[in-house]
C-alpha cells in the first residue's frame, strides 16, 4: 500500500469510465467517443442523456419513447412546490433551494424505497424522474421569487424549450431553444470533476440516486466549482454600468492583480471547445435580437488578451466566459446560472452512478493520521 499523499486527489486514477474524456492540450471533449461539437450541433440534450445513460445514441423510436417518458415525469407534487415557495419567501439561495427540493422529491418517488436487484434499472428510473423534475422545481422557484405562480410543464415542448417556457412564461423562439439545448449538452459531463466524484462516492455506498444528485448539487454550489459564469456576467454588468471600455477594464484588472473570470482552466491549456460553440451561439442570439453588446464586450476582451499573449501562456477562454452572456441573452437571472449547470450536470452525475454501481466497489480512501499518539481523558470539570 503506497503512503504517497496526493492532496486533492490530483492526478489519482480512481476508476475506469467510458463516459467522457477531456484532452486539455488540444481542447477536445468527447462523450462516449463523440466529439462535443458534433453532439452539440447534431443531437438534442435528450439524445445526449440517452447516450450517457444507455451507452449509444438512440434510434428514432428509442428517442421518442425516452423523450416521452421524460416529459411525462415533469410534474412535481404540490407539497414540493409549496416548499419551493417557502424557500423563495425565506430568501434561500437558488442552489440551496434546489438541493432541498431535490432531496424532497424522493418522498414522492414510488421507487425510492425499492430494494430492487436491478440496481442499474432502478437508478436509471430514479435518474429519469429527477432529471425531468429539476427544471420544474427551478422554474417554480424563480417564479415564486417574482411573486408568480408556477407554470405547469408543457409535455409538447423539448426539455430545453419547456424549461425556458416555465421560467419566462413565453415559448422560446427556435434560436433560443436550440442555444439552451446546446448549453445543456455542453455542461452534461466533464470527467471526474468534484461534483461528479461526490455523486460517485455516494453511489458507491449503494445509496439511491436522490442522495447522489443532492450531494452533487452541494458540491457544485461551492465557489471553487460552479459559479464562474456568474462572475463573468457581473464583470460585464460592471463594465456596462460604469460605461467603461471593456479593454480599459481588463487593463485595470490586470494591473491590480485581478484574475479575469472566464479565463484559465485546470485541464484546458487552449480555448475550451465549449467556449467556441457558445461564442457562436452568442453571435446568433445577438444577430437575432439586434443587441450585440455582450458579444462586443467579450470579443474585445478576448482579442485584447490574445494580443497580450495570455492565450499563448495557456490561459484561454473557458466555457464560463460565454455561457453567462448567453444565459443573460436568454433572459435568465444571474443567480440561476449555477442551478442550470446543476440541471444539466445531473445527467452526468446519474450516468456515473449507474456506470460505477454496475461494477461497484465502495470508495474508501485513507488519511495519514497526524494527531497525537495517545491522549488521556481528563474529567470534564478538570479541563
Ligand atoms: N486571469 C489572469 N491570470 C490567470 C488567470 C486568469 N483568469 N487564470 C490563471 N492565471 C495565471 C495565474 O495568475 C498564474 O500566473 P503566475 O504563474 O504568474 O502566478 C498562472 O496563470 C497559473 O494559475 P493557476 O491558478 O496555478 O492555474 P490553475 O490551473 O490552478 O487555475 C483556474 C485554474 C482556477 C480556473 C484559474 O485559471 C482561474 O482562477 N480562472 C478564473 C476563474 C474561472 O474562470 N473559473 C472557471 C473555470 S472553468 C469551470 O470551472 C467550468
Amino acid at each position: 500500500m503506497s503512503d504517497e499523499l496526493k492532496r486533492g486527489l490530483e492526478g489519482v486514477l480512481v476508476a475506469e469510465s467510458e463516459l467522457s474524456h477531456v484532452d486539455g492540450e488540444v481542447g477536445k471533449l468527447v462523450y462516449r467517443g463523440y466529439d462535443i461539437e458534433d453532439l452539440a450541433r447534431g443531437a438534442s440534450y435528450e439524445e445526449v442523456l440517452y447516450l450517457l445513460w444507455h451507452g449509444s445514441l438512440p434510434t428514432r423510436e428509442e428517442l421518442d419513447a425516452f423523450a416521452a417518458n421524460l416529459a411525462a415525469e415533469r410534474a412535481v407534487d404540490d407539497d414540493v412546490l409549496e416548499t419551493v415557495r417557502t424557500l423563495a419567501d425565506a430568501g434561500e439561495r437558488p442552489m440551496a433551494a434546489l438541493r432541498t427540493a431535490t432531496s424532497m422529491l424522493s418522498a414522492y418517488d414510488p421507487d425510492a424505497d425499492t430494494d430492487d436487484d436491478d440496481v442499474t434499472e432502478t437508478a436509471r428510473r430514479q435518474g429519469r424522474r429527477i432529471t425531468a423534475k429539476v427544471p420544474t422545481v427551478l422554474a417554480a422557484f424563480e417564479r415564486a421569487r417574482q411573486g408568480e405562480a408556477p407554470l405547469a410543464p408543457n409535455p409538447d415542448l423539448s426539455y430545453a424549450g419547456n424549461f425556458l417556457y416555465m421560467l419566462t412564461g413565453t415559448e422560446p423562439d427556435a434560436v433560443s431553444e436550440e442555444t439552451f439545448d446546446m448549453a445543456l449538452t455542453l455542461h452534461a459531463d466533464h470527467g471526474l470533476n468534484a461534483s461528479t466524484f461526490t455523486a460517485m462516492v455516494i453511489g458507491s455506498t449503494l445509496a439511491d440516486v436522490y442522495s447522489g444528485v443532492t450531494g452533487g448539487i452541494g458540491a457544485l454550489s461551492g465557489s471553487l466549482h460552479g459559479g464562474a459564469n456568474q462572475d463573468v456576467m457581473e464583470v460585464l454588468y460592471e463594465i456596462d454600468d460604469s460605461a467603461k471600455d471593456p479593454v480599459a477594464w481588463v487593463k485595470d484588472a490586470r494591473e491590480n492583480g485581478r484574475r479575469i473570470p472566464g479565463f484559465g482552466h485546470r485541464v484546458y491549456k487552449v480555448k475550451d471547445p465549449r467556449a467556441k460553440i457558445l461564442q457562436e451561439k452568442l453571435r446568433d442570439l445577438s444577430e437575432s435580437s439586434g443587441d450585440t453588446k455582450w458579444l462586443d464586450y467579450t470579443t474585445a476582451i478576448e482579442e485584447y488578451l490574445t494580443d497580450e499573449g495570455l492565450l499563448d501562456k495557456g490561459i484561454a477562454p473557458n466555457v464560463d466566459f460565454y455561457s453567462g452572456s448567453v444565459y443573460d441573452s436568454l433572459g435568465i437571472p444571474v443567480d440561476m446560472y449555477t442551478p442550470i449547470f446543476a440541471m444539466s450536470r445531473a445527467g452526468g452525475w446519474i450516468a456515473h452512478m449507474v456506470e460505477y454501481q454496475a461494477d461497484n466497489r465502495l470508495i474508501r480512501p485513507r488519511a495519514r493520521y497526524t494527531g497525537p499518539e495517545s491522549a488521556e481523558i481528563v474529567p470534564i470539570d478538570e479541563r
Side-chain angles (χ1 to χ4, degrees):
M1 200 176 285
S2 162
D3 267 343
E4 191 189 356
L5 192 148
K6 295 268 192 177
R7 289 186 72 233
L9 292 182
E10 207 167 329
V12 176
L13 274 177
V14 296
E16 292 186 327
S17 174
E18 296 180 354
L19 291 166
S20 63
H21 178 63
V22 188
D23 184 335
E25 297 303 321
V26 296
K28 193 174 164 76
L29 168 64
V30 296
Y31 297 167
R32 294 195 187 273
Y34 295 98
D35 194 282
I36 194 66
E37 277 198 57
D38 296 340
L39 286 173
R41 292 183 214 288
S44 65
Y45 182 63
E46 285 92 329
E47 285 175 86
V48 169
L49 283 177
Y50 190 98
L51 171 71
L52 290 173
W53 296 353
H54 295 274
S56 59
L57 283 170
T59 61
R60 164 74 52 206
E61 271 155 31
E62 285 167 340
L63 177 64
D64 287 350
F66 179 76
N69 248 318
L70 207 54
E73 296 281 4
R74 285 178 186 159
V76 163
D77 194 275
D78 284 346
D79 291 348
V80 178
L81 292 176
E82 197 44 51
T83 300
V84 166
R85 173 175 291 283
T86 305
L87 293 167
D89 290 349
E92 182 59 292
R93 298 146 301 153
M95 280 297 272
L98 178 62
R99 187 196 61 222
T100 303
T102 303
S103 181
M104 186 177 180
L105 285 174
S106 79
Y108 303 90
D109 186 323
D111 282 331
D113 225 6
T114 310
D115 207 3
D116 201 326
D117 283 345
D118 192 346
V119 183
T120 301
E121 225 4 83
T122 309
R124 279 202 198 115
R125 252 197 325 266
Q126 291 181 0
R128 200 173 59 224
R129 292 196 180 110
I130 297 173
T131 306
K133 292 178 199 311
V134 159
T136 314
V137 163
L138 280 179
F141 179 78
E142 176 53 24
R143 289 183 69 83
R145 291 200 298 184
Q146 306 301 328
E148 309 263 9
L151 288 173
N154 180 347
D156 297 331
L157 296 178
S158 69
Y159 190 85
N162 174 60
F163 174 70
L164 292 177
Y165 158 70
M166 288 190 299
L167 189 78
T168 62
T170 313
E171 283 190 28
D173 59 40
V175 178
S176 302
E177 182 177 355
E178 184 189 276
T179 301
F180 191 64
D181 182 90
M182 279 186 171
L184 292 174
T185 290
L186 297 177
H187 289 86
D189 202 31
H190 208 245
L192 278 201
N193 55 86
S195 57
T196 302
F197 187 56
T198 303
M200 251 175 73
V201 171
I202 293 173
S204 85
T205 71
L206 299 188
D208 69 357
V209 175
Y210 287 90
S211 306
V213 174
T214 304
I217 294 168
L220 189 67
S221 71
S223 60
L224 293 184
H225 196 359
N229 50 12
Q230 225 167 291
D231 298 342
V232 173
M233 208 52 229
E234 272 150 18
V235 164
L236 297 180
Y237 288 145
E238 192 183 319
I239 292 171
D240 201 40
D241 289 346
S242 60
K244 210 169 182 174
D245 172 48
V247 170
W249 185 94
V250 176
K251 274 187 191 159
D252 271 5
R254 301 238 313 140
E255 275 161 25
N256 292 318
R258 223 173 132 176
R259 288 190 175 201
I260 313 303
F263 275 75
H265 195 279
R266 179 58 64 78
V267 184
Y268 292 115
K269 298 304 162 208
V270 294
K271 190 166 177 176
D272 183 332
R274 302 167 300 176
K276 287 187 199 162
I277 301 168
L278 286 176
Q279 183 179 20
E280 269 177 38
K281 294 319 289 181
L282 179 61
R283 186 164 294 124
D284 290 352
L285 285 169
S286 306
E287 276 165 14
S288 89
S289 71
D291 180 355
T292 60
K293 187 165 61 184
W294 300 147
L295 180 68
D296 296 342
Y297 288 8
T298 46
T299 306
I301 293 172
E302 186 177 339
E303 280 174 5
Y304 171 73
L305 290 175
T306 307
D307 293 344
E308 286 287 291
L310 211 67
L311 277 76
D312 292 337
K313 286 191 204 152
I315 306 161
N318 61 50
V319 64
D320 291 327
F321 191 59
Y322 289 102
S323 60
S325 32
V326 162
Y327 292 154
D328 185 83
S329 308
L330 294 174
I332 299 172
V334 171
D335 64 357
M336 294 298 276
Y337 297 174
T338 313
I340 286 170
F341 186 175
M343 171 174 145
S344 154
R345 184 57 59 84
W349 297 332
I350 293 158
H352 280 272
M353 289 182 79
V354 167
E355 182 185 58
Y356 192 80
Q357 285 181 338
D359 184 22
N360 195 62
R361 177 138 182 97
L362 177 71
I363 297 174
R364 203 306 186 189
R366 302 181 295 140
R368 182 180 295 149
Y369 178 64
T370 57
E373 284 265 304
S374 69
E376 277 188 20
I377 295 181
V378 176
I380 191 157
D381 294 329
E382 293 169 30
R383 277 175 221 162

